[in-house]
Amino acid sequence: MKMTQYYTRMGDGKRVQMTREEILSDIQAGTADAADMAGIPALNDDQIEHLIDIISCQDRVVGVAPGKEVVMTYDIGQLDFTGDNGNSGNGVDMGRLEAALLHERALGADTFELANSDYSIKPVKPIISMEKQTMEEIQQEIVAPFFYGAMPNMGLYYAPDGPYQNPADLMREFKIEESMAASEAAAEHLARDIEYVGTHIMAAGSDGFNFDTTGSAGDADFVGTLNGVKALRAACPEAYINVGAAGESVMGIHGMIEFEGTVCAGLYPHQQAQVIAQAGADVFGAVCNTNTSRSLAWNLARSVTFIKKAVEDSPIPVHVDMGMGVGGIPMKETPPVDAVARCNKAMVEIANVDGV
Amino acid sequence: MAFEAESKVLFDAMVAVKLPGIVDAVNKAKDAGMPATDIINAMSSGMTEVGVMFQRGKLFLPHVLSAAAGMNKAMEILGPELAKSGDAGAAKKGTAVMGTVEGDVHDIGKSICSTMLQCAGFDVHDLGRDVPKAKFIEEIKAGCNFCGMSALMTTTMTVMKEIIDMAKAEGIRDKVCMMVGGAPITQAYADKIGADVYGETANDTVAKAKEVAA
Amino acid sequence: MGMDIPHLMASGMGGIRSAGDLVARMMYDKKMKLKDAKAYVAKKLGLDCVEIADECIMRDLREELGIGVVTGVPGAPRGIAAKMNIEKLLDIKINSCEKFRQSLKN
């Protein structure tokens, strides 16, 4: 007898058919991988069964029951409308006020943010007055919490964009100490810039700051951001601070750099949550990257395993990052609606996230 | 298996990523009469494990480099014996030009990939980021038999295909293994543009490059 | 929009369409987790946790409370005015309202 085949997806979005047994096998492998990497519990039988039901449901859109809704925060500001395909934008040029109000009134955003087109913190310094002006203007009109958002993106502090030598290049030349010193200097510079940009934008009435993809340039980027967050929290106790990570593990480029006594390289989401809270953030944006060669079942099970533990251990609310190529969602500019809805439901019902 | 105990000690020393320990293990294996090529092979297995541990967040870049420094030191120690046996170039698996394609300034992933390839025994020419297309072609003409191209943006990943097409037009496509990677790249995209290797991670790239080099 | 709309449909509170903005404010203002933030907002609104995500209930209640509505209602408080009403409703301070007050001469 032929086994029933279910339509599902690969990590690159491609539609495939899998049997229930194949889905189960991938879920088991995905959750085991996360559990092994982070030393955390794998999903239990009930949770696996629930995940199979979500993935094998053949309705195009799935969702949670009334009363189980979660907060939905947005990153990247207006760029999802105005950007090119480099940031998955629609290429529709419009003002930032219009984009903010459209997100609030047409897309159901619970929070939104202002962003500069580079979406990095460093380039905001020379245009901070313009950003403040726009922030003041939009705050007059918008009702929902409205942040300023940018990536710490410490890569911009390394040559040729910045004053410090590239640590990865120095490592390849076996200049390990010089590499570490360059990372540390860049991290201090980043922390100063975060305080500068953050306090200025708060003075313009921003509700707060969203740090997107923290640690994308490795552990020193992560530590520099946390030091910046700590300074911003001290200067602006009223700021709403969201710190989103760059991946399920903090990449150890430096390897030993610490935030208040904790070595940050290799921290997993449940551990990232602790130091991010310690720095003074209000909400942690947890991330797990998608492997494009694996199935949705494998990716989602792995992602839910990491995020569930983060939610359990975090002293602050956890909003899971569920954009293109994260949170189990396929890495595709046009992520399939069926896959997005399944990932969302699983994160809310199994990982118990506070927000998306 | 001959020299099983020495092989294990060499493997363990590499995974422990301490340079003095690695050098000690190499000297002991040499003194025990273990052939130089076998020593290098045992160390290479250890290096592969180091790469896996890096990918899984158990070891960090300085650890990887420390193991690689041990590998280099072993080559110095064993150089004369390798030369005698005609295996002096045994550890060199190929020459790779690496770069983030023009228009794209993201280079963290590419740099890690370069480092891991170097640690795996490849000669690496890392051109950095925002690398003009012609530079890749020049390096291939100059003898690079692996060409690693990285892109973080969907707007720049198209440059990879242009470089592959340029290599075809220059008649050098068959001399080089074209490798692609970066956040928006998938196996399907690699197939579409005619690349030979898609690296999901730095480790994946190294493993596939080693397969090609074998 | 391939992500925004499916997320909203699957589990989104809906922002000012319901009470999502208010729950978000309590999360960020007081570091409240979802359950506590929803309970706090529900209590302030005199509703239960299912009703605060119900557009049908919240549409009229938001207009009545002057805390901003998703449809264009001429004369209804919006922006800073709506947020000042939210401050009172939730018993919090909102930065843009504080800055607005500081900019007034008297």
Side-chain angles (χ1 to χ4, degrees), chain A:
Chain A
M1 193 180 83
K2 201 177 170 210
M3 308 268 282
T4 306
Q5 300 271 327
Y6 298 93
Y7 279 117
T8 180
R9 300 279 176 181
M10 291 299 291
D12 63 359
K14 197 170 65 186
R15 192 191 280 280
V16 289
Q17 284 189 310
M18 292 171 77
T19 64
R20 190 176 173 87
E21 287 65 31
E22 287 168 338
I23 292 170
L24 169 64
S25 170
D26 274 12
I27 288 174
Q28 286 170 333
T31 188
D33 188 68
D36 175 58
M37 278 182 89
I40 56 176
L43 299 178
N44 64 31
D45 290 347
D46 288 347
Q47 290 154 351
I48 287 175
E49 196 62 28
H50 191 168
L51 200 47
I52 294 176
D53 289 343
I54 292 172
I55 291 171
S56 61
C57 171
Q58 293 300 282
D59 293 342
R60 187 161 180 260
V61 179
V62 297
V64 304
K68 300 290 181 193
E69 298 88 350
V70 302
V71 164
M72 185 167 66
T73 53
Y74 276 82
D75 62 9
I76 211 166
Q78 75 290 342
L79 292 168
D80 58 359
F81 281 140
T82 63
D84 60 25
N85 58 334
N87 41 37
S88 309
N90 300 122
V92 180
D93 200 15
M94 67 170 70
R96 295 196 279 181
L97 171 65
E98 290 85 347
L101 297 182
L102 273 171
H103 278 85
E104 176 185 73
R105 294 170 195 189
L107 291 171
D110 293 322
T111 76
F112 194 56
E113 69 182 29
L114 182 69
N116 78 92
S117 56
D118 185 86
Y119 202 43
S120 299
I121 286 169
K122 190 180 166 194
V124 183
K125 287 190 295 176
I127 57 165
I128 188 67
S129 295
M130 285 188 282
E131 299 301 271
K132 288 171 81 171
Q133 202 164 258
T134 308
M135 175 59 74
E136 285 171 356
E137 252 180 64
I138 298 177
Q139 286 289 357
Q140 293 288 330
E141 286 290 318
I142 199 163
V143 177
F146 189 63
F147 291 70
Y148 195 83
M151 302 183 295
N153 195 4
M154 210 171 78
L156 291 183
Y157 293 81
Y158 299 133
D161 295 314
Y164 310 105
Q165 278 189 277
N166 189 316
D169 291 345
L170 288 167
M171 284 276 179
R172 264 201 311 285
E173 294 165 21
F174 295 99
K175 295 175 180 169
I176 295 176
E177 282 177 15
E178 289 98 316
S179 169
M180 288 176 166
S183 294
E184 288 161 19
E188 282 174 23
H189 200 148
L190 171 63
R192 289 198 300 275
D193 286 355
I194 287 173
E195 186 181 8
Y196 177 82
V197 172
T199 51
H200 271 271
I201 210 72
M202 286 305 295
S206 178
D207 282 296
F209 209 107
N210 172 35
F211 297 91
D212 193 325
T213 56
T214 298
S216 65
D219 47 349
D221 176 319
F222 191 83
V223 170
T225 304
L226 295 193
N227 282 320
V229 167
K230 191 179 165 187
L232 178 58
R233 170 57 71 218
C236 305
E238 73 283 10
Y240 296 175
I241 301 180
N242 192 91
V243 176
E248 60 270 35
S249 171
V250 178
M251 193 166 47
I253 302 287
H254 181 290
M256 286 188 280
I257 193 165
E258 297 178 358
F259 176 72
E260 296 190 342
T262 303
V263 172
C264 290
L267 292 185
Y268 286 97
H270 66 291
Q271 299 159 322
Q272 294 169 18
Q274 306 298 327
V275 285
I276 284 171
Q278 201 177 322
D282 298 301
V283 171
F284 166 43
V287 172
C288 176
N289 292 305
T290 295
N291 181 322
T292 59
S293 307
R294 301 283 196 154
S295 67
L296 173 73
W298 186 90
N299 278 300
L300 186 52
R302 183 172 180 272
S303 201
V304 166
T305 306
F306 281 125
I307 306 303
K308 182 175 177 300
K309 178 65 173 161
V311 172
E312 285 166 3
D313 289 7
S314 177
I316 54 176
V318 176
H319 289 189
V320 59
D321 190 346
M322 300 201 73
M324 176 176 83
V326 283
I329 292 177
M331 180 69 208
K332 185 75 188 169
E333 274 184 357
T334 48
V337 167
D338 51 288
V340 176
R342 274 155 187 74
C343 293
N344 183 304
K345 181 176 168 71
M347 284 295 176
V348 175
E349 293 182 345
I350 303 173
N352 300 311
V353 296
D354 299 285
V356 168

